[in-house]
Amino acid sequence: MTRNPKAPSQLVQEVALLLERVRTERPLVHNITNWVVTSIVANVTLAIGASPVMAHAHEEVADMARLARALALNIGTLTPYTVESMILAGKAANAAGIPVILDPVGYGATPLRVGATRRILDTVKVDILRGNLAEMAGIAGMTSDIKGVDSVGAEAPGQSVALSVAKDLKLVAVVTGPTDYISDGDRLLCVENGHPLLTRVTGTGCAATAIIGAFAAVERDYVIAAASALACYGIAAEIAADHSDGPGTFAAAFMDGLHNLRPEDVAERARLSVTRV
Amino acid sequence: MTRNPKAPSQLVQEVALLLERVRTERPLVHNITNWVVTSIVANVTLAIGASPVMAHAHEEVADMARLARALALNIGTLTPYTVESMILAGKAANAAGIPVILDPVGYGATPLRVGATRRILDTVKVDILRGNLAEMAGIAGMTSDIKGVDSVGAEAPGQSVALSVAKDLKLVAVVTGPTDYISDGDRLLCVENGHPLLTRVTGTGCAATAIIGAFAAVERDYVIAAASALACYGIAAEIAADHSDGPGTFAAAFMDGLHNLRPEDVAERARLSVTRV
Amino acid sequence: MTRNPKAPSQLVQEVALLLERVRTERPLVHNITNWVVTSIVANVTLAIGASPVMAHAHEEVADMARLARALALNIGTLTPYTVESMILAGKAANAAGIPVILDPVGYGATPLRVGATRRILDTVKVDILRGNLAEMAGIAGMTSDIKGVDSVGAEAPGQSVALSVAKDLKLVAVVTGPTDYISDGDRLLCVENGHPLLTRVTGTGCAATAIIGAFAAVERDYVIAAASALACYGIAAEIAADHSDGPGTFAAAFMDGLHNLRPEDVAERARLSVTRV
């Protein structure tokens, strides 16, 4: 396994191109997310230049998913009703050929979350699965120590978890943390952009899932789409941290940072690396 | 049809007076809104000087509506349960004689939204209907091209849609956009205040609906109430845009702008015009 | 009844120690709260240094409560479903021996809220009850004049209401307002920190409840825990007010203020006083 610590310049160019494509095409991203993060998820989606919609009624989720170009699911405050909403929307998304992204918030914390995640994975073709290390390690069947919805460590490091989940479930696995790992079971990309203040604002993980959806809407290579989304996200956070005094002003500056992100920022700051297996 | 491009000075004085009345009377506005925008709706209502309350349980919506001085309904993340909540509250509001404002978010996007809007309009006397051009054109029965919950154009321009909806449904129709059009089917008012950053913050349309509710609580001429609310809203956005670097800092500055809005700001900046039919 | 207008220096030291303990232990606080304030409740909990989780599905609330170190309940947008969630979680919290904090939002506004509050108090051992003066006076059986969810006055002043509720219900009663009163029926503490802008941001009362939960997780003397939480909360608000131009920038600065709060700030600014009965 060789690791190239330098961001391949071609990859960085692709990130900037995809950002531009998101802004030009303004893809509609249908979110079924938890009730804590609805606002930040929608605002991050708008700030990066895409268009959010939320709908969860069984009577319309499939209709709405068919209007969208990506579907982002999040089990943060799941109920049996909303899990069913996710499955109905997921099946419609599959039929329409749009990407489905799942965020298994708090996987392992309760049997309900384990069962819901498995049921969604069994009945919907999930294209991208994004979680923190503890959640993704749990899904990989590795020992993990879950505390609520925060990642507090797991035996395996992020890259082996990403590879393992991607291979087992035949999807693109995204393990986010100080370094993000993205894998389709073959390729493994690392993104080292970001800032610790992201962990002090609720919903930044969930919003990362939505923004991955926006990039997946415009780029069918989901490894590249997810890495590009996370690089842009992390760079905006770095810029925001320079203009903030704590998590409150950071949250506002982060929206500004996403909105104002320029190709030059991406070129200067992207810290992407590719590891082949 | 003659159009007076100058804001009649009497109308501008009335806007400032109504703003003062909202702040003095602090009317309670009962919102049944979507789960994405609850926080911004409540904060905008507080910032302008009114008092928000949210309640949707069937067991109490009628009781809460009777305590309020306006009822603002929003179908953004509707379910059959919340539509029923809106109808129960709407009937109580009608019986109590307080204004009912409806925001048909995403009308036309799905059959559920079309059916819910029609059912509410059929069973509740809605006093003011506020939507973007695509939603309102859809309601007017005109061809429209809906994409999720964002307005992306319609054949007819805002003023004819506002007139048509107002006449057909016998209510005050408000079509918001770069220019807002308010009509009771006879009078037509235009408000040209606002800022494009409003479109980059989620819930600003829904919050405009709530603020129209606050003004309608203190002024029974709903054309004047809605126009006044939108002028204040737009002026606060203009002031906020001068103090922000993007949608995040704008959202914070916008709350400040509403809170600090002075009669002088209204007098200097209001861009209202009256078109008689 | 004697009143010591000076903050006992020992008490102020304890506040600073508890703040440090919250940050070191990062207790998980399980919130079942209303859908208007989820985001600010989570962000305030993160900003003070604790860890929030939200879950309300009947299938997992008990599991989640058992993982947490405090349970904060809030009836702001209650439905029969969420009241049942609160009872299931509350019983699990009682069995696990973790503190339960209840926020009876809008008590007295509707029969549903009165009944739900009573049912929770009858079936769950609530350790701390926090409300505004009108809500708490209503619970004390005193005449009160409720307007939606805002406190608009009551016959009895805060300290007698706090004492009365604490004695009647055998719990720690917290009446928040310009001065906060905390009592276990024997001791009575007053906290005079805070800023009027707190009343212009939605959810600041609900978030105070969550932060009391964070302090109660690390200090079993709930009178001390609640007073410490409210002193820190109020001091952060005072600091934030110095860096803001209105409710929007205040809300952001308040998160920064909680995150950056230092023991020196507590020592310099805490306005605590103890009144023995």
Side-chain angles (χ1 to χ4, degrees), chain A residues 126-194:
Chain A
V126 171
D127 298 291
I128 307 174
L129 186 69
R130 187 212 70 85
N132 62 33
L133 185 52
E135 291 158 354
M136 296 296 276
I139 288 170
M142 298 171 193
T143 310
S144 74
D145 180 21
I146 301 276
K147 181 193 179 194
V149 295
D150 290 319
S151 181
V152 291
E155 278 179 14
Q159 59 180 24
S160 59
V161 167
L163 277 166
S164 168
V165 170
K167 278 180 188 163
D168 288 357
L169 300 178
K170 299 188 199 320
L171 45 65
V172 172
V174 179
V175 178
T176 52
T179 299
D180 304 319
Y181 300 98
I182 302 107
S183 179
D184 57 4
D186 180 19
R187 290 170 294 170
L188 179 70
L189 268 67
C190 305
V191 179
E192 288 172 277
N193 294 106

Side-chain angles (χ1 to χ4, degrees), chain B residues 95-251:
Chain B
I98 64 166
V100 176
I101 302 93
L102 174 62
D103 191 332
V105 180
Y107 181 91
T110 68
L112 181 66
R113 289 175 192 237
V114 172
T117 302
R118 291 195 175 150
R119 196 165 153 242
I120 294 168
L121 287 168
D122 284 346
T123 52
V124 174
K125 186 191 170 299
V126 170
D127 298 291
I128 307 173
L129 186 68
R130 186 213 70 86
N132 60 34
L133 185 53
E135 291 156 355
M136 296 295 277
I139 289 170
M142 297 172 193
T143 311
S144 73
D145 180 22
I146 300 276
K147 181 193 179 195
V149 295
D150 290 319
S151 181
V152 291
E155 281 178 11
Q159 58 181 24
S160 59
V161 168
L163 277 165
S164 168
V165 170
K167 278 179 189 163
D168 288 356
L169 300 178
K170 299 189 198 319
L171 45 64
V172 172
V174 181
V175 179
T176 52
T179 298
D180 304 319
Y181 300 97
I182 302 107
S183 180
D184 58 3
D186 179 19
R187 291 170 295 171
L188 178 71
L189 267 67
C190 306
V191 181
E192 289 172 277
N193 294 107
H195 193 275
L197 276 172
L198 279 174
T199 66
R200 311 308 289 257
V201 177
T202 199
T204 51
C206 308
T209 300
I211 216 169
I212 289 171
F215 279 73
V218 301
E219 171 55 59
R220 282 302 161 128
D221 182 338
Y222 298 143
V223 169
I224 300 298
S228 299
L230 292 172
C232 291
Y233 202 71
I235 292 167
E238 293 167 11
I239 294 171
D242 291 340
H243 297 87
S244 57
D245 300 315
T249 47
F250 171 77

Side-chain angles (χ1 to χ4, degrees), chain A residues 54-261:
Chain A
M54 305 222 183
H56 62 285
H58 294 174
E59 291 81 0
E60 73 166 358
V61 275
D63 294 332
M64 197 61 90
R66 280 189 284 265
L67 293 174
R69 290 187 52 198
L71 174 68
L73 308 175
N74 176 304
I75 66 164
T77 53
L78 82 174
T79 61
Y81 183 91
T82 54
V83 172
E84 190 63 28
S85 305
M86 294 183 208
I87 288 170
L88 291 169
K91 286 179 176 174
N94 287 165
I98 63 165
V100 177
I101 301 93
L102 174 62
D103 191 332
V105 180
Y107 180 91
T110 68
L112 181 67
R113 289 175 193 237
V114 171
T117 302
R118 291 194 175 151
R119 194 162 156 242
I120 295 169
L121 288 168
D122 284 347
T123 52
V124 174
K125 186 189 169 301
V126 171
D127 298 291
I128 307 174
L129 186 69
R130 187 212 70 85
N132 62 33
L133 185 52
E135 291 158 354
M136 296 296 276
I139 288 170
M142 298 171 193
T143 310
S144 74
D145 180 21
I146 301 276
K147 181 193 179 194
V149 295
D150 290 319
S151 181
V152 291
E155 278 179 14
Q159 59 180 24
S160 59
V161 167
L163 277 166
S164 168
V165 170
K167 278 180 188 163
D168 288 357
L169 300 178
K170 299 188 199 320
L171 45 65
V172 172
V174 179
V175 178
T176 52
T179 299
D180 304 319
Y181 300 98
I182 302 107
S183 179
D184 57 4
D186 180 19
R187 290 170 294 170
L188 179 70
L189 268 67
C190 305
V191 179
E192 288 172 277
N193 294 106
H195 192 276
L197 276 172
L198 279 173
T199 65
R200 310 309 289 258
V201 177
T202 199
T204 51
C206 307
T209 299
I211 216 169
I212 290 172
F215 279 72
V218 301
E219 170 56 57
R220 282 301 160 127
D221 182 338
Y222 297 143
V223 169
I224 299 298
S228 300
L230 292 172
C232 291
Y233 202 70
I235 293 167
E238 292 166 13
I239 294 170
D242 291 341
H243 298 86
S244 57
D245 300 315
T249 48
F250 172 77
F254 181 47
M255 296 299 150
D256 291 359
L258 289 165
H259 183 256
N260 298 325
L261 196 64

Side-chain angles (χ1 to χ4, degrees), chain C residues 59-83:
Chain C
E59 292 81 0
E60 73 167 359
V61 275
D63 294 332
M64 197 61 90
R66 280 188 285 265
L67 292 174
R69 290 186 53 197
L71 174 68
L73 307 175
N74 176 305
I75 66 164
T77 54
L78 82 173
T79 62
Y81 184 91
T82 55
V83 172

Side-chain angles (χ1 to χ4, degrees), chain B residues 21-102:
Chain B
R21 213 186 295 167
V22 167
R23 287 175 176 164
T24 307
E25 302 187 16
R26 300 190 66 74
L28 184 68
V29 181
H30 178 192
N31 288 279
I32 304 177
T33 190
N34 72 73
W35 72 350
V36 184
V37 305
T38 47
S39 178
I40 189 174
V41 165
N43 278 327
V44 159
T45 307
L46 285 168
I48 199 66
S51 188
V53 71
M54 304 221 183
H56 61 285
H58 294 174
E59 292 80 1
E60 73 166 0
V61 275
D63 294 332
M64 197 62 89
R66 280 188 285 265
L67 292 174
R69 289 187 52 198
L71 174 68
L73 308 175
N74 176 304
I75 67 164
T77 54
L78 81 175
T79 62
Y81 184 90
T82 55
V83 172
E84 190 62 29
S85 305
M86 294 182 207
I87 289 170
L88 291 168
K91 286 179 176 174
N94 286 165
I98 64 166
V100 176
I101 302 93
L102 174 62

Side-chain angles (χ1 to χ4, degrees), chain C residues 206-219:
Chain C
C206 307
T209 300
I211 217 170
I212 290 172
F215 278 74
V218 302
E219 171 55 56

